């Protein structure tokens, strides 16, 4: 009974987080569209390259997001025996079991569920990572241009272009921090569940096991890329501020102009990317989250008796 309650709590928490992602994305849709338009307006800052590798990578990632749920659903159904397919159909369809092609019904159900569970969280992650990646490239490009500046006029131009980027970063924070918070929460929840399952806490079928591991893989990749790219934006902004300070010293400007410019540059310190203002993204967050999952997971799992309990099955008769 205790196992069933805990499994139900996990399922409810997981579904609640997915619903929160859907609702937050819908609630923030206008801000997200404005963010995309702002990104297009500053796209001229990107360094010019003749290679189309980025375009190929963009479309490949976008297509893979839609194909991944199909792959996961097909794998889960492929590992079901005929009896297990009927059992799954019996549970999912509230006691209704088709006599023919139970795998086809199970595939449809798995496809619908995996699209619901994976598609939007991965799309939110992809959009956030894509924007952060290009923002960090733009800021790094501004940094390299600034290092070659030999006059106050050129430095002022770089400053104006940089301010456009920082306004986009602010829009990114306002538009997507809520969505990303729930995505990260879902990522960590599934990570904890996968860890618990690996220790034998959940006794599942091979099909369910493959689904859990597939969800864990996609969500871990999502989490790592979100944290990595967001922290890169903040780090590049700090580097740009330091470069501005060094350039101002080398230009040998008057004290009044230098102080005025330095005051403007100090605005860069306010740049941050967070998850709904609850935590800031830094590369150390990856290790911190992993440590919390391992520590808390072991403490929780040690309180249970590890008696094998399986999901209730229908009678073969």
């Amino acid at each position: 009974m205790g196992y069933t309650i805990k499994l139900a709590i996990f399922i409810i928490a997981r579904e609640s987080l997915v619903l929160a992602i859907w609702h937050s994305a819908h609630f923030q849709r206008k801000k997200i569209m404005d963010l995309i338009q702002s990104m297009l307006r500053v796209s001229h800052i990107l360094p010019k390259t003749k290679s189309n590798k980025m375009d190929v990578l963009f479309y490949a990632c976008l297509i893979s997001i839609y194909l991944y749920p199909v792959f996961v659903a097909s794998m889960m159904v492929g590992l079901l025996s005929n009896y297990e397919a009927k059992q799954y159909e019996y549970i999912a369809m509230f006691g209704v079991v088709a006599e023919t092609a139970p795998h086809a019904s199970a595939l449809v159900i798995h496809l619908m569920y995996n699209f619901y569970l994976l598609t939007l969280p991965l799309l939110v992650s992809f959009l956030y990572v894509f924007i952060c990646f290009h923002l960090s490239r733009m800021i790094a490009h501004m940094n390299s241009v600034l290092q070659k500046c030999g006059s106050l006029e050129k430095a002022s131009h770089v400053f104006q272009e940089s301010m456009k980027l920082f306004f986009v970063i602010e829009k990114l924070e306002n538009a997507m921090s809520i969505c990303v918070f729930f995505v990260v929460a879902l990522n960590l929840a599934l990570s904890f569940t996968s860890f618990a399952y690996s220790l034998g806490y959940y006794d599942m079928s091979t099909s369910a096991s493959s689904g859990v591991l597939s969800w864990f893989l996609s969500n871990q990749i999502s989490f790592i890329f979100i944290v990595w790219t967001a922290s890169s934006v903040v780090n590049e902004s700090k580097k740009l501020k330091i470069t501005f300070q060094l350039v101002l010293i080398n230009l040998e400007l008057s004290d009044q102009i230098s102080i005025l410019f330095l005051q403007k540059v100090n605005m860069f310190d306010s740049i941050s990317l967070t998850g709904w203002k609850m935590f800031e993204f830094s590369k150390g967050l990856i290790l911190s989250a992993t440590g919390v999952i391992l520590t808390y997971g072991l403490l929780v799992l040690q309180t249970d008796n590890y008696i094998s309990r399986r999901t209730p099955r229908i009678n073969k008769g």
Side-chain angles (χ1 to χ4, degrees):
M1 185 65 180
Y3 170 82
T4 305
I5 293 175
K6 291 175 183 178
L7 184 60
I9 291 173
F10 158 69
I11 293 174
I12 292 172
R14 182 186 65 193
E15 305 308 315
S16 299
L17 288 172
V18 176
L19 283 174
I21 296 171
W22 280 84
H23 283 291
S24 61
H26 180 264
F27 182 75
Q28 297 288 97
R29 64 190 185 281
K30 292 183 179 179
K31 292 183 179 180
I32 293 174
M33 291 303 300
D34 182 54
L35 168 64
I36 295 173
Q37 292 174 0
S38 299
M39 277 294 297
L40 292 175
R41 285 194 290 268
V42 298
S43 59
H44 64 277
I45 301 178
L46 277 172
K48 305 297 182 181
T49 57
K50 296 181 179 180
S51 175
N52 59 352
K53 291 182 180 179
M54 292 303 302
D55 294 335
V56 173
L57 181 62
F58 173 82
Y59 289 109
C61 291
L62 193 60
I63 293 172
S64 65
I65 288 174
Y66 289 98
L67 291 181
Y68 191 70
V70 178
F71 167 76
V72 175
S74 301
M75 179 178 60
M76 293 178 70
V77 174
L79 293 173
L80 289 174
S81 64
N82 190 64
Y83 169 69
E84 288 174 331
K86 288 184 177 180
Q87 179 194 13
Y88 181 81
E89 188 179 12
Y90 176 85
I91 297 173
M93 300 297 291
F94 303 101
V96 178
V97 179
E99 295 298 329
T100 59
H103 281 84
S105 301
L107 179 61
V108 172
I109 297 171
H110 275 86
L111 280 173
M112 294 173 62
Y113 182 71
N114 279 282
F115 269 109
Y116 158 76
L117 182 68
L118 296 174
T119 304
L120 187 64
L122 289 177
L123 284 174
V124 170
S125 302
F126 175 68
L127 179 61
Y128 191 81
V129 169
F130 178 79
I131 292 175
C132 287
F133 173 72
H134 283 290
L135 282 174
S136 62
R137 286 184 63 204
M138 292 178 188
I139 298 174
H141 178 62
M142 287 289 97
N143 198 354
S144 62
V145 172
L146 182 61
Q147 291 174 358
K148 302 175 184 178
C149 288
S151 64
L152 179 61
E153 183 180 356
K154 293 182 179 179
S156 299
H157 175 71
V158 173
F159 177 79
Q160 295 298 327
E161 294 294 304
S162 301
M163 289 306 300
K164 294 179 183 178
L165 295 179
F166 296 146
F167 286 137
V168 175
I169 295 174
E170 187 66 24
K171 287 186 177 182
L172 174 63
E173 174 69 9
N174 293 332
M176 299 197 66
S177 64
I178 299 177
C179 304
V180 171
F181 169 79
F182 288 117
V183 169
V184 170
L186 177 64
N187 294 341
L188 297 180
L190 290 178
S191 299
F192 175 77
T193 307
S194 300
F195 174 67
Y197 172 71
S198 66
L199 294 179
Y201 181 65
Y202 295 115
D203 192 0
M204 298 181 180
S205 64
T206 305
S207 173
S209 303
S210 64
V212 170
L213 294 177
S214 300
W215 300 337
F216 170 73
L217 175 63
S218 62
N219 279 272
Q220 279 300 104
I221 293 174
S222 168
F223 173 67
I224 292 173
F225 272 90
I226 286 174
V227 175
W228 195 275
T229 53
S231 61
S232 296
V233 172
V234 178
N235 292 336
E236 290 295 338
S237 301
K238 293 179 180 178
K239 291 179 182 178
L240 184 60
K241 177 187 174 182
I242 295 173
T243 304
F244 264 115
Q245 293 171 337
L246 295 175
V247 168
L248 290 175
I249 294 173
N250 293 332
L251 289 178
E252 298 180 354
L253 303 173
S254 64
D255 292 342
Q256 184 178 2
I257 296 177
S258 297
I259 293 173
L260 180 61
F261 216 104
L262 287 173
Q263 288 176 345
K264 294 181 179 180
V265 171
N266 286 334
M267 295 171 60
F268 296 174
D269 292 331
S270 62
I271 294 174
S272 66
L273 291 174
T274 67
W276 207 3
K277 307 295 183 183
M278 294 190 182
F279 53 84
E280 292 188 3
F281 289 115
S282 64
K283 293 178 182 178
L285 181 62
I286 299 174
L287 293 178
S288 300
T290 304
V292 169
I293 291 172
L294 293 175
T295 304
Y296 182 72
L298 288 173
L299 289 174
V300 171
L301 297 177
Q302 283 177 353
T303 62
D304 291 281
N305 54 16
Y306 297 100
I307 297 177
S308 177
R309 299 178 177 89
R310 294 188 177 274
T311 305
R313 299 176 180 271
I314 60 173
N315 295 327
K316 293 185 179 181

